[in-house]
Structures are given as structure tokens and as C-alpha cells.
Amino acid sequence: PAFLTVPARTAAAPRAPRAVHAPAVGTGLGAVGVGAAAALAGAQAFFGKRRSRPTVRNAGPILFGSQGSRSPLVNWYLHEIGQEFEMVQAAQVDRTSPDYPHPFGKIPALQDGDAKVFESGAILMYLADKYGGLDTPAKRAEAGKWVVWANASLDPICFKEDGNGRVLGTGLADDPPALRTLDAFLADREFLLGSGEESFSVADVAVGSYLLYVPLFFPDINTLPRWPNVQRYMLQLLKRPAYAKAFGEGTAQKLQDVVSRQADSKLFGLF
């Protein structure tokens, strides 16, 4: 695609290699269709010279993002379902191009053949629908309501912003009613859709990501013991290999230390 071209002002910058992520069992290049193959060919042309004898590679969705954005939550879900994908650093593409998957030039953005998807929640639902088994209206609704809730309701609780979108603090420093409700909801279940590994879903990636971004950006937070079931939920998500693969082993371990921290006794009015 045309947007897989460095803008003129960065033409002299060194070309960074793209990270290729593949599960143990691949799908094969032919399985993803002409659109994805064309997109991958464009990415290959940008990031390096084509070999005279191209090797056969697996292909999948192309995710544009960066480690410091919300794109790792998409990586997390892709790792969970074992779906291979191509990770392209957003700094290496022309995000002003009309062909770029996000019309506002933001990240994350996804291209999968002819499909172009933006907004992390929409990307998660697309991937869950196409690759994650949410192939009926009932299944999509069961998980989708949590993905929408995470983006529409949980995000503004977790991050308080000013009119310019700058984060000023976190609502988890207080005692929001929604967290008490979520805590009660998780009292008798391991994950949002039930208990047992088979119940883990895209809903947990969406909700869990926002919850876990809080201690990532506010490592001094000590209010999590107010919601013991939410705290337990966050800790078990941090122990998932796919989370560590997406966000980094060091990040996962550091967050486990923060999330497991016991509250200051003064938090509960005990002196």
C-alpha cells in the first residue's frame, strides 16, 4: 500500500526491521487471500529488498502501532489465540496517507486484506469475530458488551483527563461505584465470562488491559485491595504468558509487584 512509504522528512532515517509474530502452527500465505498478500508484499518492499528467490512465509493481519501506545493490548489478544500477524512500527509509515487504515492517523490500526480497522475495541472485536471464534450474534454480544464497556465506561474511570486529553490522575485512587460492582461480579468467577481457561476471552483482554494500565502509569497506587476480587483478577491476568509476550516480561513482573501490594492501613481509616 502507498502508506507503507516513509514521509519525505524521514527518508534518510535508517529502516527498522519489522517484528514477525507467528504461532507454532501457521496458516500459510495462500490462506489469507490476495489482499493480505498484497499488503504484506508492500510491507516487505518498504522494510527491505526483496530476495530474488522469495521464501514462502505465513501471513496474517498487519498491526500498526508502538509499544508505548494501546497497540500491545491487540498484540496480547493475538498471542492468546495463536494468530500470527505482522507488527509494523507506526513511525515507519506515512500516517497522513489516505490509504493508512486509520483516517485520523492514530494507532493502533489494522489491515487484514481489504479490511481496515481502527480503534482498539473495534480491532479486538474484528479479530475475535474472524479468528477467535465469536462467529454468532450471541457470542459477539456476550463478549462485545464488555469490550464496549471497557472503552466507553472503564477508560474514563481509570484515566481522568483534561479538555486536551492530558491524563491528570486515575479514578482508582477514589472508590468508584463501577469498581465495587465489578468486584462483586468477579466474586464467583475467574474471568468475565465464567471460570476455567475456556472462559477466558477477548472481554478479559479489553477490561484487563485498562485495569492494568493504571498501575503501569501510576505505580504508587495502593487502593487496589479495596476490591479484592478485581485485584486477584488483575494478578492472574499478569501471569498469562501472552500478556508478558505483548507487554514484556519485565513489565509483567513489575506490575505483579505493584498490584499485589497491600494497602496502607490509613487507607481504611485505621491508625
Side-chain angles (χ1 to χ4, degrees):
F3 63 86
L4 282 170
T5 303
V6 178
R9 63 180 182 276
T10 59
R15 296 177 176 178
R18 181 192 48 201
V20 179
H21 304 263
V25 180
T27 57
L29 181 59
V32 298
V34 176
L40 180 58
Q44 290 172 329
F46 171 69
F47 283 104
K49 296 180 180 179
R50 295 188 188 183
R51 299 178 181 179
S52 58
R53 300 174 114 192
T55 56
V56 177
R57 307 182 56 173
N58 292 329
I62 300 176
L63 176 63
F64 301 88
S66 70
Q67 195 64 22
S69 72
R70 297 186 187 186
S71 58
L73 70 88
V74 180
N75 299 51
W76 179 14
Y77 183 62
L78 286 163
H79 290 317
E80 288 283 2
I81 62 176
Q83 173 60 44
E84 65 178 49
F85 62 104
E86 299 290 329
M87 184 71 211
V88 177
Q89 294 300 313
Q92 301 298 322
V93 300
D94 181 6
R95 289 191 277 157
T96 66
S97 168
D99 294 323
Y100 181 68
H102 199 310
F104 302 102
K106 305 295 185 180
I107 52 177
L110 183 98
Q111 181 156 345
D112 189 16
D114 293 330
K116 298 179 179 181
V117 194
F118 62 97
E119 290 297 320
S120 60
I123 294 172
L124 287 178
M125 287 308 301
Y126 170 81
L127 294 172
D129 191 348
K130 184 169 182 179
Y131 301 106
L134 298 188
D135 51 3
T136 69
K139 290 179 181 179
R140 284 191 289 270
E142 185 178 26
K145 60 192 178 187
W146 286 105
V147 176
V148 173
W149 181 76
N151 284 268
S153 299
L154 183 58
D155 181 11
I157 292 173
C158 291
F159 299 100
K160 294 182 176 181
E161 301 179 350
D162 63 14
N164 296 317
R166 291 175 298 190
V167 176
L168 303 177
T170 174
L172 270 63
D174 303 316
D175 190 15
L179 263 291
R180 293 199 299 269
T181 300
L182 181 62
D183 191 67
F185 183 83
L186 289 168
D188 62 350
R189 63 188 63 210
E190 188 177 8
F191 302 112
L192 292 172
L193 303 188
S195 296
E197 183 60 24
E198 70 282 356
S199 295
F200 179 87
S201 73
V202 68
D204 299 295
V205 171
V207 172
S209 291
Y210 281 106
L211 290 173
L212 292 171
Y213 272 131
V214 173
L216 182 62
F217 288 100
F218 301 98
D220 294 331
I221 190 166
N222 65 351
T223 56
L224 297 178
R226 283 176 172 168
W227 315 287
N229 298 311
V230 171
Q231 185 182 35
R232 179 261 307 161
Y233 176 68
M234 294 169 69
L235 282 170
Q236 66 191 35
L237 294 180
L238 286 169
K239 295 176 182 178
R240 298 186 68 85
Y243 180 90
K245 189 172 183 180
F247 287 88
E249 291 281 355
T251 296
Q253 184 56 59
K254 179 179 178 181
L255 290 184
Q256 287 183 51
D257 295 339
V258 175
V259 173
S260 60
R261 181 188 301 148
Q262 295 300 308
D264 190 319
S265 60
K266 294 183 180 181
L267 177 67
F268 300 99
L270 301 176
F271 299 89

